[in-house]
Amino acid sequence: MVRSGEEPRPAGRATDGTGPASLRELFLQGEPVETGVRTSILNSWQRCRSLGLSPDTFDLPYREDFDAGSRIVRAAVPVLDRLQATFAGSQVNISVADANGTVLLRRFGDASMARSLPAIQVVPGFVFAEQVAGTNGIGLALAERQLIRVYGAEHFAQRSQQNACVAMPVRDPLSGRIEGVLCLGYPRGFERPALGVAIRRAAEGIERRLLGQSSAREQALLRTYLATGAGTAGPRHGVALDALASEFHPRDHAILREKAAELISGAQRGAAEVTLPDGRRVTLVSRPVTSGSGVRGFAIEALLPDFPAGEPLVIPHQTDELSGLAVSAVALSLARPALTLPAGHLTASPRPAGTPDGDGATAGPDGTDGLRLATGADGTVPADGEPPPAVPAAADHPPSTAAPATAGSGRRRVEPDAGAPGDGARGAAEPDSALAADGGRSAADERQPGEAFPARGLVMLGEPQVGAYALAARRRLELLSEASTRIGTTLDVRRTAEELAETAVPGLADFVTIDLPDAVLRGEESADPLADLRRTVVHGIREGLPFTPAGKRIDFGPATPQLRCLSRGEAVLEPDLKAAAGWLAQDPEPTARLLAHVHSLIAVPLLARGVVLGVACFYRAGGSFGDDDRSLAQELASRAALSIDNARRYTHERTMVLALQRRLLPHGLPDQDAVEVAHRYLPAESDVGGDWYDVIPLPGARVGLLVGDVVGHGMLSAATMGRLRTAARSFAELDFPPDEVLTHLDNLVGRLDREDPDGKGAGVIGATCLYAVYDSAAQTCLMARAGHPPPAIVRPEGTVTYPDLPAGPPLGLGGLPFDAVEVDLPEGSQVVLYTDGLIEDRHRDVDVVLEQLREALAHPGRAPEETCQAVLDTVAPAHPHDDIALLVARVHALGPGRIATWELCADPALVGEVRASAVRWLSDRGLEETAFAAELILSELITNAVRHGAAPIRVRLLYGRTLICEVSDASNTAPHLRRAASTDEGGRGLFLVAQLSQSWGTRYLPEGKVIWAECGLDTA
C-alpha cells in the first residue's frame, strides 16, 4: 500500500507548535493564503468552507448504532492496549475510527484525562469525518489516504486549536481498502518526531491482525502471489485500487470487485474489460495461483494503462506486514534500521526476526511492537516543549536494507527469510527458480523486449469454489438489500405487489405473478382468500406469454402448487413443471401453452401477522430453481407480505377516515338565490385531513360561505372537523357577523385543547378558517379570516384580485381579535375560497401558484362548475400532500323591483299606512295570497317597534324565493316568544308571527336590531 510521508512544511511556519494561526484567520476572512499553508491543510479548509461549516461549531454527530465488534475493533484492541502502556502517564489520546470517521475505540495515556476532556474526545460514537467536523486528523487521513499531521491552528474548528495530532489510515492487506484510522492526539508541546514511527508500527500491527482474520488458505495464496511478484524479472508490483481515490470512484471499486468475483468463480484464466459509468475501461486479468500446500486459486489484477509506468509502484500490502505469517523465502524483506533519538522521544528498535507475539506481530523486548518510550528517572514523559524540526517526507520511511540488484541481470538480488514448513517455501532458493503465479511462467515471458509493464492493482484473490458460493451469496444479499429499499415505498397494495415482482426479475426469476383477494385490494381481510383471488401483477423479462392477465379472477385446482402452498403456509418448489403433479389440472389449455416458455416454479404464500394475503409465483424459463432459491423467494415474499399488510391496513384506515370525512361534509347545497355555488373536496394521497366547506342560507337574502382546515391528518382531524363545522354553522345561523363567529370558534378550539383527557397535547392543536357573508340586496360581502389564505375575487370584467384581509391568528391561540372587511361585489362576480392544500406545496413557490390561480380564474364567463375543474386541473398539485377544499360562488343581486322600503317615526297612527302600502306592493306582484299573512306580521312587528323600540324605524320587504318581512329600530331590546296567560292583555303577537311564518328571528346591527320573518309564497 502507498505510505508516503507527510509533505514538507512551508517556510515561515510558526515554530511553537501552534501552526499558522494568523493564516487561518486570514483564510476565514477570505484572504489568499496559498503560499503559507501546507497543501493538504489548505485543501481541507477549502472543502470545509464549501460545505458551509462554521469554525465555532462545537456539536458533532453521534451514532449509537456503531459496530463495537467490527473487524477493525477486534484487530485494534491488543495494539491499543500496548500503545496505552507505552504512553502511560502522558497526555496522549489514542483513538481508532472506522472508514466513515466514527470513533470506535478510545485509550488515554493518563486515565485522569477521561474526566477532564469533553465528551467528543472521550466517548466512542462521535463522527470526525471532515465534512462534519472540519479539518482534523481522522477526517483528513481519510480524505488524503496517507499519514497526516495537524497542528494547533491548522484545525478548522476553534475547539481544537490547543491540540495536535497524527493520524494514519489502516487498510485491509488483502483488498487494500481503508478499514479505519488510527489517531494519536496530544497537547501542542508534546510533539515528538518518533510519533510518526510509532503510529506506523501500530497501524502495521492492526493490519497484520486484520490479515490474520482471513483464512489460512487465503493467506497461503497471498504469500505465493507476493513471493512470485517480488522475485521475478518483471515484478508485478501494483498499486491498490483504494490508493487511487482520485482516479476511481467508490462506485467504480464496487463494480470492479463484483466483476473480479465473477472471474474467480468462473475458474478461467483470461482477461475481461470493464466499462465504468464514466466511460473509462479497465482490464481485469485473471491469473491462476497455486500455493505450495496445494491451494489453487485465482488472482484478479487490474491493469491501469493511464497510470505512469515509470513511477515507483508499490503492492497493496508491504511484505514486511506478513512477518507473522512466515513469508515465503522469495518474498522481499524490508529490514528497519534502528533510530537514534534524543532522550524523551520515542525510540524505534529493529524487531528480532522469528519472535512472533500472540497476534501475529513481531514484538520487541518490552512487548510493544519494537517501540519504547524513553522516560525520566521518575517514570514520566519529559515535556520539554521543544518544537519539532521540519521533518522531510522520508523521515518516516527508513531506507530498505535489501541487497542491490545485480548489474546486468535485470533482476534484484533477494535475501530470503526462512520459509515456514508446509507452505511450499523453499529455504534459500534463488529468485530465478521462484514459482510464477501463472503456473510456471515468469512475467518476463509475457512482454515484448523494451515494453514497459503497466501498473497493476490486486483487486481480489480467492478460490473458485469459494468464490462461486460467495458470489451467489453476495447476489442474494444484494437482492435482499435491494428488496428492503424497493419494496414498500408506498402505502398502496397494488404498487407494493408490483415492487415485489420488479425486484425478483431478473435477479431470481424470469417471470412473476401475484394474486391477491379483492378484499385485500380494498384494504380488508379476506374471509376466504382461496375463493377470492384476482390476478394483480404479471411481470417478466418479456411480454406475450399466456399468463392470465391482470384483473382476471383466478381459480386454482385442488392439486396445483399454488393451492398446496396456500394450504401448507410454506413455499412449494417445482424444479420441473412438466413433471409437477396437478399443474395441468389448473387450466389445461393455457397451462400447456405456458410450459413451452417456463420450466420451473416456486409458489410462495403471502403471509403476514397470521393473515393470508395471496400467493406469489416465481417462474424460471431456463434451468431449475434450487433450495437456496426457494429460501430466497420465501424471504422476499415475507418482506413483501409485511409491506402489503401495512398497505392494506393503511388503506382500510384511510377508507374509514375518508368515509367519515365525506359524511361530515355537506351532502348537498341548500336552496337559495343569492349565489350559484360549486365545490370540490380532494383528499391527500398519504392521509385524510380536516378540511371542510359549507354554504349557509341567512335571513335577509344573504348567504354565508365557510371554508376551514383543521391542523393534522387522520381520524382525529376528521372528527374535529365535524365538530368545528357544526359549531361554525350554529354560530352563523345565530346571525353573528364573521368576526364574532371566528371569536366563538377560537374559544371552542381552545376549550377542546384544554379538555384533552391525557393532558399530553394529543387533541386539536389548531385550525384555520375563512367566513364570508354575501348580501344580495346590498351587493356587499363581509369577510374575516383566522390564519387562512385570502379568497380570490373575480370581477365581471375578468379582473382577479386577492382582497387585503387582516390575517388574524389561527383558531385556538386565544386572546387575539379578528377583523372583518366589507367588499363590494357587483352581480356576476365570483368569490373563490380554498384551503392551503391548493397553493402550498414543498416543491412550488406560493407566489407562483397564486399567479397560476389568477390566470385560471380570469375567465368570468365560466360557470362555477367549470371554474372548479379548471382550478384543479391547472393549479392543484399532481400528488397533493394535504387536503384541498375549493368553493366557487357566483353572486346574484336582488333587483330593485323586488325590494320595498319604508321609514317612519314612533307614531302608532303610521302603522296602518305602512301596512296598506305593503299590501298594495304585494298585490302588484301577484302575491295576494301571501299578503294576508304578511299584513298581520308587519302589523305586529311595527307595533312592537313603536311601543318597545326606538326611532328610526324601518320596514323592508324582500321578494325572492320567499317573502321576507323586516322591521328594524335603534333599540337593542330583544323580543322573546312566550305563552300568554288567559288573563294577559298582550304577549300573543310574536306567537302569531311564529305561526304565520316559516321562520323568524333577530339580527343585531352595530346600532339596533332587525326582527325578521320569512313567509312562503302560496302563489307565484
Side-chain angles (χ1 to χ4, degrees):
M1 66 188 68
V2 177
R3 287 189 172 174
S4 61
E6 183 68 4
E7 59 192 277
R9 301 169 193 162
R13 183 185 180 279
T15 58
D16 58 353
T18 63
S22 59
L23 294 177
R24 173 179 172 275
E25 294 170 1
L26 290 174
F27 173 81
L28 295 176
Q29 296 170 6
E31 300 293 335
V33 294
E34 286 77 2
T35 59
V37 182
R38 289 185 291 155
T39 303
S40 60
I41 299 297
L42 181 59
N43 291 340
S44 177
W45 287 356
Q46 292 172 344
R47 289 192 296 266
C48 295
R49 183 166 58 185
S50 65
L51 291 171
L53 299 181
S54 171
D56 299 323
T57 301
F58 287 90
D59 296 332
L60 289 181
Y62 180 76
R63 294 186 55 185
E64 296 182 351
D65 59 343
F66 68 90
D67 188 0
S70 61
R71 293 182 66 231
I72 191 169
V73 169
R74 298 195 305 271
V77 167
V79 178
L80 262 63
D81 290 342
R82 290 195 295 272
L83 278 177
Q84 185 177 23
T86 300
F87 292 107
S90 68
Q91 296 294 307
V92 175
N93 182 350
I94 310 165
S95 59
V96 170
D98 63 14
N100 297 318
T102 303
V103 174
L104 307 177
L105 292 173
R106 289 285 193 185
R107 293 289 190 274
F108 305 97
D110 186 351
S112 64
M113 295 173 63
R115 296 188 296 270
S116 60
L117 294 176
I120 60 174
Q121 297 184 23
V122 176
V123 181
F126 284 98
V127 181
F128 282 83
E130 184 184 70
Q131 58 266 31
V132 294
T135 307
N136 69 91
I138 294 175
L140 193 52
L142 288 173
E144 297 289 331
R145 300 177 178 270
Q146 63 178 342
L147 176 73
I148 287 295
R149 289 185 176 89
V150 183
Y151 302 95
E154 291 182 334
H155 291 88
F156 189 77
Q158 187 67 33
R159 62 173 175 268
S160 304
Q161 299 298 294
Q162 303 302 316
N163 303 320
C165 61
V166 56
M168 180 78 182
V170 177
R171 302 176 186 268
D172 183 343
L174 280 176
S175 66
R177 294 192 302 270
I178 290 180
E179 293 286 335
V181 177
L182 174 64
C183 182
L184 302 180
Y186 46 89
R188 294 180 305 189
F190 189 74
E191 178 64 40
R192 301 290 185 272
L195 285 174
V197 178
I199 198 169
R200 287 184 187 281
R201 296 287 177 84
E204 291 169 359
I206 297 174
E207 291 172 350
R208 283 193 297 271
R209 292 184 56 83
L210 286 173
L211 185 61
Q213 293 178 14
S214 59
S215 68
R217 300 171 67 90
E218 288 177 330
Q219 295 172 13
L221 290 174
L222 180 62
R223 284 195 297 268
T224 303
Y225 173 81
L226 292 178
T228 305
T232 56
R236 293 203 188 106
H237 291 169
V239 288
L241 292 178
D242 191 65
L244 296 179
S246 60
E247 297 292 331
F248 289 98
H249 190 275
R251 175 191 65 245
D252 301 335
H253 295 180
I255 294 173
L256 294 175
R257 287 195 295 270
E258 181 178 359
K259 185 61 178 179
E262 293 180 4
L263 293 175
I264 292 176
S265 63
Q268 295 290 330
R269 173 184 174 140
E273 190 174 63
V274 180
T275 302
L276 300 178
D278 59 3
R280 288 190 298 172
R281 296 181 179 181
V282 177
T283 301
L284 297 182
V285 178
S286 173
R287 298 182 179 275
V289 179
T290 303
S291 72
S293 58
V295 179
R296 301 177 61 86
F298 281 82
I300 309 300
E301 298 173 324
L303 301 185
L304 310 175
D306 296 334
F307 195 84
E311 296 290 330
L313 303 177
V314 185
I315 57 176
H317 29 259
Q318 301 290 354
T319 52
D320 62 329
E321 294 168 3
L322 300 173
S323 58
L325 300 174
V327 183
S328 175
V330 296
L332 181 63
S333 176
L334 299 178
R336 297 182 180 273
L339 299 179
T340 304
L341 301 174
H345 289 71
L346 283 172
T347 307
S349 59
R351 290 173 286 182
T355 54
D357 60 9
D359 64 351
T362 306
D366 56 356
T368 60
D369 276 343
L371 298 177
R372 59 183 178 85
L373 188 65
T375 59
D378 57 354
T380 61
V381 178
D384 51 13
E386 289 296 327
V391 182
D396 293 321
H397 278 288
S400 172
T401 58
T406 304
S409 65
R411 301 188 177 107
R412 281 193 302 176
R413 180 74 174 177
V414 178
E415 297 294 337
D417 294 336
D423 66 352
R426 292 170 294 164
E430 289 293 327
D432 296 301
S433 61
L435 176 66
D438 57 4
R441 295 186 303 167
S442 69
D445 299 330
E446 300 179 2
R447 63 185 177 93
Q448 299 299 323
E451 180 184 354
F453 277 91
R456 297 182 180 183
L458 177 62
V459 180
M460 190 171 291
L461 185 69
E463 302 176 68
Q465 297 83 1
V466 177
Y469 286 121
L471 181 63
R474 187 172 71 251
R475 286 179 174 173
R476 290 187 175 93
L477 289 176
E478 289 173 352
L479 189 59
L480 291 175
S481 176
E482 181 183 2
S484 65
T485 58
R486 292 188 60 180
I487 300 177
T489 59
T490 67
L491 288 172
D492 180 81
V493 174
R494 194 181 306 274
R495 179 56 193 154
T496 304
E498 292 173 353
E499 290 170 344
L500 167 60
E502 292 168 359
T503 302
V505 176
L508 173 62
D510 297 323
F511 304 94
V512 175
T513 64
I514 300 176
D515 307 316
L516 302 176
D518 283 332
V520 172
L521 294 173
R522 294 192 304 267
E524 305 169 2
E525 290 188 11
S526 178
D528 186 7
L530 302 182
D532 191 26
L533 287 175
R534 186 175 298 276
R535 179 59 48 86
T536 305
V537 176
V538 178
H539 183 70
I541 57 177
R542 63 180 182 273
E543 298 179 356
L545 296 190
F547 287 107
T548 302
K552 298 292 184 178
R553 292 291 300 272
I554 296 292
D555 294 317
F556 293 115
T560 56
Q562 292 88 344
L563 195 63
R564 279 184 283 142
C565 85
L566 289 173
S567 302
R568 301 175 186 175
E570 60 184 21
V572 172
L573 168 63
E574 293 291 352
D576 186 356
L577 281 176
K578 295 181 180 178
W583 169 251
L584 293 175
Q586 176 183 344
D587 197 348
E589 185 176 350
T591 304
R593 293 199 308 267
L594 190 60
L595 286 177
H597 303 279
V598 297
H599 175 73
S600 187
L601 163 69
I602 300 176
V604 187
L606 297 173
L607 299 173
R609 304 181 179 96
V611 178
V612 178
L613 301 175
V615 59
C617 297
F618 303 86
Y619 296 89
R620 186 169 287 178
S624 300
F625 287 113
D627 291 334
D628 291 340
D629 297 318
R630 176 171 56 183
S631 300
L632 178 58
Q634 181 78 60
E635 179 66 22
L636 286 176
S638 298
R639 297 189 181 195
L642 188 61
S643 297
I644 291 175
D645 191 50
N646 290 337
R648 179 192 66 81
R649 290 168 177 260
Y650 167 77
T651 302
H652 179 66
E653 180 179 350
R654 187 175 187 273
T655 302
M656 292 178 58
V657 176
L658 188 58
L660 174 63
Q661 171 85 342
R662 295 192 181 279
R663 189 69 180 172
L664 295 174
L665 289 173
H667 296 287
L669 297 178
D671 294 332
Q672 45 79 38
D673 295 329
V675 294
E676 178 187 354
V677 179
H679 57 87
R680 293 289 189 277
Y681 170 73
L682 186 64
E685 284 191 351
S686 59
D687 205 351
V688 179
D691 292 14
W692 87 90
Y693 60 89
D694 210 345
V695 179
I696 308 168
L698 298 175
R702 297 172 304 132
V703 64
L705 305 175
L706 188 67
V707 169
D709 183 5
V710 176
V711 175
H713 296 85
M715 186 73 73
L716 177 62
S717 295
T720 303
M721 177 275 293
R723 300 173 71 176
L724 290 183
R725 175 178 174 258
T726 301
R729 189 178 186 90
S730 300
F731 295 143
E733 289 179 345
L734 289 174
D735 226 336
F736 292 138
D739 52 337
E740 291 189 24
V741 170
L742 296 182
T743 300
H744 288 297
L745 288 177
D746 182 54
N747 294 333
L748 174 62
V749 173
R751 185 163 62 253
L752 292 177
D753 275 337
R754 293 191 297 271
E755 291 175 357
D756 176 21
D758 299 329
K760 299 179 181 179
V764 182
I765 61 173
T768 65
C769 185
L770 171 63
Y771 182 40
V773 176
Y774 171 68
D775 188 339
S776 62
Q779 298 184 39
T780 60
C781 187
L782 187 64
M783 296 179 284
R785 61 182 177 131
H788 202 83
I793 303 296
V794 184
R795 301 288 178 178
E797 68 276 9
T799 304
V800 181
T801 60
Y802 299 100
D804 187 15
L805 299 183
L811 300 178
L813 294 183
L816 296 175
F818 299 94
D819 297 319
V821 173
E822 188 173 75
V823 179
D824 293 329
L825 288 182
E827 185 173 11
S829 300
Q830 289 186 354
V831 183
V832 181
L833 287 72
Y834 50 88
T835 55
D836 57 2
L838 178 67
I839 62 173
E840 293 183 4
D841 185 80
R842 67 189 68 173
H843 305 297
R844 304 189 299 172
D845 183 80
V846 174
D847 294 335
V848 175
V849 177
L850 288 176
E851 188 61 32
Q852 293 176 350
L853 179 60
R854 187 193 305 273
E855 295 175 359
L857 295 176
H859 301 276
R862 287 176 177 166
E865 283 289 341
E866 297 174 347
T867 301
C868 275
Q869 194 59 46
V871 169
L872 292 183
D873 291 342
T874 59
V875 181
H879 303 282
H881 297 282
D882 195 6
D883 291 17
I884 297 175
L886 177 64
L887 189 67
V888 178
R890 173 181 286 172
V891 302
H892 299 293
L894 194 62
R898 290 178 173 264
I899 304 174
T901 305
W902 297 271
E903 186 170 342
L904 64 156
C905 59
D907 184 358
L910 299 177
V911 175
E913 297 180 7
V914 174
R915 188 171 60 231
S917 298
V919 171
R920 288 194 299 271
W921 187 84
L922 293 172
S923 298
D924 293 342
R925 286 155 181 80
L927 301 176
E928 290 83 0
E929 296 295 331
T930 308
F932 175 75
E935 183 180 8
L936 292 178
I937 292 173
L938 287 175
S939 178
E940 182 61 34
L941 295 181
I942 296 173
T943 300
N944 285 343
V946 170
R947 295 180 58 185
H948 307 291
I953 299 173
R954 294 183 178 88
V955 179
R956 188 171 70 161
L957 295 180
L958 303 175
Y959 172 32
R961 187 180 297 269
T962 60
L963 178 65
I964 302 174
C965 305
E966 295 183 348
V967 177
S968 63
D969 64 84
S971 171
N972 290 325
T973 303
H976 298 284
L977 180 65
R978 65 185 179 89
R979 187 180 296 276
S982 58
T983 58
D984 290 342
E985 294 184 1
R988 297 174 179 84
L990 287 181
F991 180 78
L992 291 175
V993 171
Q995 295 300 314
L996 293 171
S997 63
Q998 293 179 348
S999 59
W1000 72 280
T1002 304
R1003 179 171 78 253
Y1004 289 93
L1005 303 175
E1007 295 181 1
K1009 65 180 182 298
V1010 176
I1011 310 298
W1012 58 270
E1014 185 175 355
C1015 301
L1017 302 179
D1018 296 334
T1019 60

